[in-house]
Amino acid sequence: MTLTYMNIMLAFTISLLGMLTYRSHLVASLLCLEGMMMSLFIMATLIASNTHFPLVNIMSIILLVFAACETAVGLALLISISNTYGLDYVHNLNLLQC
Amino acid sequence: MIMHTPIMMTTLISLTLPIFATLTNPYKKRSYPDYVKTTVMYAFITSLPSTTLFILSNQETIIWSWHWMTTQTLDLTLSFKLDYFSMMFIPIALFITWSIMEFSLWYMNSDPNINQFFKYLLIFLTAMLTLVTANNLFQFFIGWEGVGIMSFLLISWWHARTDANTAAIQAILYNRIGDIGLILAMTWFLLHYNSWDLQQMLALNSNSNSLPLMGLLLAAAGKSAQFGLHPWLPSAMEGPTPVSALLHSSTMVIAGVFLLIRFHPLMETNTMIQNLTLCLGATTTLFTAICALTQNDIKKIVAFSTSSQLGLMMVTIGINQPYLAFLHICTHAFFKALLFMCSGSIIHNLNNEQDIRKMGGLFKTMPLTSTSMIIGNLALTGMPFLTGFYSKDLIIEATNTSYTNAWALFITLIATSLTSAYSTRTILLTLTGPPRFPALTYINENNPALLNPIKRLTMGSMITGFLITSNIPPTSPPLPMMPLYLKLSALCATALGFLTALDLTLMTNKLKMKNPSQVFKFSNMLGYFPTTIHRTIPYQSLLMSQDLALLLLDSTWLEKSMPKTISQAHITTSMTVTTQKGMIKLYSLSFLIPLTLALFLMM
């Protein structure tokens, strides 16, 4: 495990922790989700470059496409929450309560 | 040969002549009311030899005249039963009707429809005599319904007055509830005894069944205003005073008691029905006597007095003394009609004032009316050797020596003392003291049309008790010996009530009237019975029918059975089962737990 890979995995882990431990704003969670997607993309590209195996580049392209779709869905959810509540405070999201 | 049968039929048929006269050539030369009155007088006179011959021979007659209809199993004929009950009752009814018709010549003198009034009275009399002489239940039912309908027409005589219309409808409704019982009894007799003839029904009393007798008891309770079906009788005082005197004191209201007397062979063996009759009659007599104590309308006091005496008649039937009850019917008719006629005289002379708090001082201005009123009240309370004594005292003696329900007998005695209490109150407030009516009232009772009937009925109230009891054939075994205190109990109860009422009235005459107590209000509002029952029962019935017809189908089948039930079931179950509280941060934090666990486990 070279240092670069460990660096990237550390960035991924920090973004994951950031997504799971957000305090009041939902957009923080979404930003960390983007960070996770970015670190994964960088890692895939580095693997393709370091192992001299250009065919693996397709994995990074597809990962980027799906990350973009997911970002769009996340932003749509954020917009709808912001429309009904005015802000994206997490303690507003209590519709699941019984 | 005993001729009393054709003479009696002449009597009955001659009563129908004035009715047919109105159909053919009305109102020829003399006035129609006068014609009707003299017809009834001649009918009374022709019925007297018939009754006398019957008393002499003690031979009852049954006349089967016109064969009307035959079904598979039932013959219906027009049959008249001239036995002890009908032969004794017919002259009395005719005498009282004659007196009342002469009285109403004076009372309804200014009425433009006086001819119609007399025709109604005559049709009522015909229906009543049909009821009394009926030998089969079908003819009895015709008479029963006839008196009900004539009661309706006569109570609502002044039909522009809403209270009169309400009272007439009330009378019809309460009588209808009683008719259910009568029709039940008729149906049972038709199915089981296969006949509506009294001879066949009364002969087959081996094992008497309770169901038809309960039906007859319900019919008697409806027609004779027993407790539970009693409010129509005080309300029926909306009719003119002659109507009250004839129908609702002497003749119509005793039809129920008469029915039970006719069926006494069936009731002899059934002790449960006798007990029910006894308790119902005792409750009625006490309750209506309590209500009569605080009424302020003179006609209502006499109406409650009638109701109380009807309860007493039911008590007599309850102790298995039908002949005594019949004797009380005959004697009661005299003094009650007299009391109503005196009330009518007072009311008309005081310019239609019916409130006893606004009468007074009538001794000097209306001597004959006052005297007759006092004699009538004394006869009612059972003053020794006036008319009421011969029946009422015998009844109290019979109750004291009979082996039945002591509570019912005790409250009958209380009702006896209350009878004399309210009679005393009536006399003291209407006749004595200073006059409380306006000074320029024209009081004049010097009209023979008014005075002659009152005089006749006063003489009747005094001597008929003696005449009847000394001339009737022996009917039931005489009462055994009893101790002196039991023999005097009725007299003591009456005297107690009289003295208490006299003392209380004279002592509290000049005191300031305080707010009425709860007991006073109970008595004055008739026990709150009409107040609670008359609105509640129809309202609940209408509400139930509206719900059943309109609400039930829609709300149940379209909403509650499928959709709302499912959604409600889901919501309640998920609320009980779920643990979700919507704590998103905690849930996302919990993602870390498996990660750390995996990390540590792999180490």
Side-chain angles (χ1 to χ4, degrees), chain A residues 6-82:
Chain A
M6 199 194 75
N7 200 357
I8 302 294
M9 274 191 275
L10 196 61
F12 175 80
T13 315
I14 288 176
S15 293
L16 179 68
L17 281 177
M19 188 186 96
L20 294 180
T21 63
Y22 58 94
R23 265 186 67 110
S24 52
H25 281 276
L26 189 68
V27 69
S29 171
L30 291 177
L31 276 174
C32 290
L33 195 66
E34 293 315 302
M36 281 161 65
M37 287 295 130
M38 283 299 113
S39 67
L40 283 177
F41 169 69
I42 299 286
M43 187 147 174
T45 314
L46 276 180
I47 286 176
S49 172
N50 282 347
T51 54
H52 301 292
F53 190 24
L55 268 177
V56 188
N57 276 325
I58 195 169
M59 183 175 92
S60 64
I61 303 291
I62 292 178
L63 188 66
L64 200 60
V65 166
F66 280 120
C69 296
E70 176 195 327
T71 311
V73 171
L75 276 179
L77 276 176
L78 191 69
I79 296 295
S80 73
I81 286 175
S82 190

Side-chain angles (χ1 to χ4, degrees), chain B residues 157-424:
Chain B
W157 178 252
W158 291 311
H159 53 81
R161 190 180 146 85
T162 45
D163 279 343
N165 288 330
T166 316
I169 292 285
Q170 198 177 343
I172 289 282
L173 284 176
Y174 277 113
N175 281 342
R176 258 294 171 252
I177 299 178
D179 288 350
I180 297 175
L182 184 59
I183 295 180
L184 169 71
M186 281 170 71
T187 318
W188 193 92
F189 282 127
L190 188 60
L191 289 177
H192 290 259
Y193 290 168
N194 199 24
S195 155
W196 274 338
D197 292 323
L198 282 180
Q199 285 71 39
Q200 189 162 340
M201 287 190 290
L202 299 181
L204 300 172
N205 63 342
S206 52
N207 49 346
S208 61
N209 205 333
S210 293
L211 185 61
L213 294 176
M214 293 288 287
L216 292 179
L217 184 60
L218 180 63
K223 193 65 103 176
S224 294
Q226 300 301 304
F227 181 71
L229 296 176
H230 66 279
W232 69 271
L233 192 53
S235 304
M237 298 296 119
E238 293 287 334
T241 308
V243 170
S244 306
L246 185 56
L247 271 74
H248 306 119
S249 65
S250 320
T251 34
M252 179 179 126
V253 291
I254 56 108
V257 185
F258 195 82
L259 174 68
L260 287 182
I261 290 176
R262 271 271 191 245
F263 280 87
H264 73 88
L266 290 182
M267 290 185 61
E268 271 171 353
T269 51
N270 196 338
T271 52
M272 183 189 90
I273 295 289
Q274 280 180 3
N275 271 334
L276 272 178
T277 320
L278 178 72
C279 294
L280 186 65
T283 314
T284 307
T285 181
L286 183 66
F287 178 73
T288 49
I290 290 177
C291 289
L293 280 177
T294 55
Q295 298 297 314
N296 293 319
D297 184 356
I298 190 173
K299 284 180 70 173
K300 283 214 164 43
I301 295 180
V302 190
F304 277 114
S305 170
T306 307
S307 206
S308 188
Q309 296 301 307
L310 288 171
L312 188 66
M313 291 174 207
M314 294 289 268
V315 165
T316 322
I317 296 179
I319 56 173
N320 201 14
Q321 298 279 350
Y323 293 97
L324 267 184
F326 180 71
L327 185 65
H328 196 56
I329 288 178
C330 296
T331 54
H332 168 260
F334 281 96
F335 47 80
K336 200 44 69 72
L338 174 66
L339 280 178
F340 267 114
M341 281 178 17
C342 293
S343 316
S345 162
I346 295 177
I347 289 171
H348 243 40
N349 273 317
L350 292 183
N351 203 13
N352 296 330
E353 181 58 63
Q354 285 186 320
D355 198 336
I356 58 174
R357 298 172 289 192
K358 287 187 175 177
M359 301 176 187
L362 292 174
F363 262 142
K364 295 291 166 55
T365 49
M366 300 173 64
L368 199 101
T369 310
S370 321
T371 320
S372 315
M373 185 139 199
I374 293 179
I375 291 178
N377 272 324
L378 285 176
L380 169 65
T381 59
M383 166 74 113
F385 308 117
L386 291 183
T387 313
F389 172 76
Y390 285 99
S391 53
K392 199 164 174 184
D393 205 63
L394 284 181
I395 292 175
I396 303 287
E397 281 176 21
T399 60
N400 281 335
T401 55
S402 69
Y403 181 67
T404 54
N405 194 348
W407 171 244
L409 312 178
F410 181 58
I411 61 182
T412 310
L413 271 180
I414 295 180
T416 310
S417 59
L418 288 181
T419 304
S420 64
Y422 62 70
S423 303
T424 315

Side-chain angles (χ1 to χ4, degrees), chain A residues 16-17 19-24 90 93-94 96-98, chain B residues 574-575 578 580-585 588-589 591-592 595:
Chain A
L16 179 68
L17 281 177
M19 188 186 96
L20 294 180
T21 63
Y22 58 94
R23 265 186 67 110
S24 52
V90 178
L93 305 177
N94 55 359
L96 275 177
Q97 271 180 349
C98 293
Chain B
S574 60
M575 274 171 70
T578 188
Q580 277 206 13
K581 299 252 186 304
M583 300 182 292
I584 308 179
K585 284 196 289 184
S588 54
L589 265 180
F591 268 95
L592 282 179
L595 276 180

